[in-house]
């Protein structure tokens, strides 16, 4: 391959959380690349790890998917319009449900840590099952609540009561009064099972649990964290699972509720990668570019860009990373570009990363020599 050969470039970033969605990131990098190498083939593959934006990523990558709108009860009791994604399969349809879109922080005007709940995502699940889905994939990132998934389970048939036999208030407030939990009338999981897509490994309780670690972002004051953890402990005592299981603390403890329903936990980055054919696409490319807001030591512990880098390595393809900030060793990457260096500050890079992403894409295109391994 010579420098004038038309190269195949795979752009597969995560979102830059709080700044730009994965598709915006991919498009901006591609635009920058094409200003320098307009004849190259660009394949945009925005990705997600099971958090916010997972449905959009899968819908874009899988043309045969079908989105089904549904109205549900949002985390503050207002009606919201959300959807689930149907993925056709040989043995029937799989349904992808995104907690963030039904019951996430983005659905709140103001944080309500004691009262936010997961009823909405339970209603989406029920709608998908009623439509005949034979498998459920649940993306858990972006939760607004710390209700242990009880709202979700209640929509599927669970009955929780206080010591006087009265129904509980929604949210963590209700967990503080829970006395009995009857799961006997729960809707059975679909034949193909329920898979939770989450890279969170926290247990339900304690210093690494759902309340203490994630409660502050949901609005709990420091002096409320232990009270919320104690409410989860009352709930955990009634669940038929080990609250110490890794992932039980995901999404305000929704992981625990889903485990009680019979779900299995799976790293979101791996499952999304398989669904969109990341390994094959990387092997067929001449260069893979990934990115995220901050490329740090946690990235190497299984976050999505590390999964993209692994796909590139396994396919014998060079890879590069573009991130707001890079604080980890890039190992065998052929390039690494920080947006904060281009923008002049972190704040400028976060405010509107698109021009800096375009410049980063152009810089890699100028500096990169096409891979000769394909002769």
């Amino acid at each position: 391959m010579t420098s004038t050969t038309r190269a195949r470039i795979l752009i597969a970033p995560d979102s830059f959380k709080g700044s730009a969605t994965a598709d915006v990131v991919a498009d901006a990098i591609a635009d920058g690349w094409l200003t320098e190498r307009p004849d190259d083939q660009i394949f945009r593959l925005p990705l997600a790890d099971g958090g916010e934006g997972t449905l959009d990523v899968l819908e874009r990558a899988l043309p045969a998917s079908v989105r089904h709108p549904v109205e549900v009860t949002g985390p503050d009791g207002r009606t919201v319009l959300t959807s689930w994604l149907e993925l056709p399969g040989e043995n029937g349809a799989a349904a992808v449900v995104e907690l963030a879109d039904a019951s996430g922080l983005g659905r709140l005007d103001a944080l309500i840590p004691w009262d936010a709940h997961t009823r909405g995502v339970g209603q989406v699940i029920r709608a998908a099952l009623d439509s005949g889905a034979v498998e459920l994939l649940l993306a858990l990132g972006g939760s607004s609540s710390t209700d242990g998934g009880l709202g979700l389970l209640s929509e599927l048939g669970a009955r929780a009561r206080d010591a006087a036999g009265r129904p509980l208030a929604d949210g963590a407030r209700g967990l503080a009064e829970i006395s009995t939990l009857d799961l006997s009338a729960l809707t059975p999981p679909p034949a193909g099972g329920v898979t939770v897509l989450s890279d969170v490994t926290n247990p339900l309780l304690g210093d690494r649990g759902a309340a203490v670690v994630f409660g502050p972002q949901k609005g709990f004051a420091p002096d409320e964290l232990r009270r919320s953890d104690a409410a989860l402990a009352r709930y955990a005592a009634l669940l038929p699972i080990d609250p110490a299981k890794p992932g039980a603390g995901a999404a305000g403890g929704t992981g625990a509720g889903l485990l009680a329903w019979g779900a299995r936990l799976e790293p979101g980055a791996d499952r999304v990668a398989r669904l969109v054919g990341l390994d094959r696409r990387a092997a067929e490319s001449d260069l893979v570019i990934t990115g995220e807001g901050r490329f740090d030591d946690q990235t190497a512990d299984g976050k999505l860009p590390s999964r993209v880098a692994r796909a590139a390595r396994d396919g014998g393809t060079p890879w590069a990373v573009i991130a707001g900030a890079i604080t980890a060793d890039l190992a065998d990457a052929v390039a690494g570009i920080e947006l904060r260096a281009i923008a002049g500050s972190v704040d400028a890079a976060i405010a509107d990363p698109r021009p800096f992403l375009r410049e980063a894409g152009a810089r890699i295109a100028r500096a990169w020599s096409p891979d000769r391994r394909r002769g």
Side-chain angles (χ1 to χ4, degrees), residues 227-311:
R227 287 169 50 205
S228 178
D229 186 60
L232 285 171
R234 286 179 64 98
Y235 173 59
L238 303 172
L239 290 174
I241 64 158
D242 180 1
K245 185 176 178 63
T254 302
L258 288 168
L259 286 169
W261 191 36
R264 58 182 179 272
L265 304 180
E266 183 174 339
D270 278 344
R271 185 57 178 267
V272 172
R274 292 202 305 276
L275 286 170
V276 302
L278 173 64
D279 295 321
R280 172 185 56 80
R281 294 177 189 234
E284 293 172 350
S285 301
D286 296 302
L287 176 69
V288 175
I289 302 175
T290 190
E292 65 175 341
R294 184 176 183 84
F295 192 91
D296 55 22
D297 289 337
Q298 291 185 11
T299 302
D301 290 336
K303 291 175 69 177
L304 195 144
S306 69
R307 180 63 179 84
V308 176
R310 190 176 84 205

Side-chain angles (χ1 to χ4, degrees), residues 44-218:
R44 298 167 177 84
L45 188 65
L47 295 173
D49 60 5
E52 187 173 0
T54 298
L55 258 63
D56 292 337
V57 162
L58 292 177
E59 183 179 33
R60 179 168 175 166
L62 302 171
S65 62
V66 179
R67 192 180 283 256
H68 297 272
V70 57
E71 286 190 345
V72 302
T73 304
D76 58 3
R78 294 179 298 176
T79 298
V80 301
L81 179 63
T82 183
S83 59
W84 57 277
L85 192 68
E86 177 184 346
L87 305 181
E90 293 182 1
N91 300 317
V96 186
V97 174
E98 183 180 307
L99 182 148
D101 197 44
S103 305
L105 286 166
R107 291 298 191 178
L108 296 177
D109 290 336
L111 298 177
I112 47 171
W114 286 104
D115 301 299
H117 57 77
T118 54
R119 284 189 177 275
V121 71
Q123 291 165 5
V124 180
I125 290 171
R126 195 173 62 209
L129 294 178
D130 288 346
S131 293
V134 299
E135 180 182 6
L136 279 175
L137 305 176
L138 304 179
L140 285 198
S143 169
S144 64
S145 67
T146 310
D147 76 345
L150 181 57
L152 180 161
L153 292 179
S154 296
E155 293 295 329
L156 297 177
R159 288 166 50 90
R161 297 289 186 267
D162 66 14
R166 296 169 300 203
L168 303 178
D170 284 329
R173 190 180 307 280
L175 295 186
E177 303 297 329
I178 193 168
S179 180
T180 63
L181 179 63
D182 182 0
L183 302 179
S184 62
L186 273 180
T187 299
V194 180
T195 301
V196 174
L197 306 182
S198 174
D199 291 330
V200 171
T201 59
N202 299 70
L204 180 62
L205 307 174
D207 289 343
R208 294 187 58 251
V212 174
V213 174
F214 303 112
Q217 71 189 40
K218 293 167 185 164

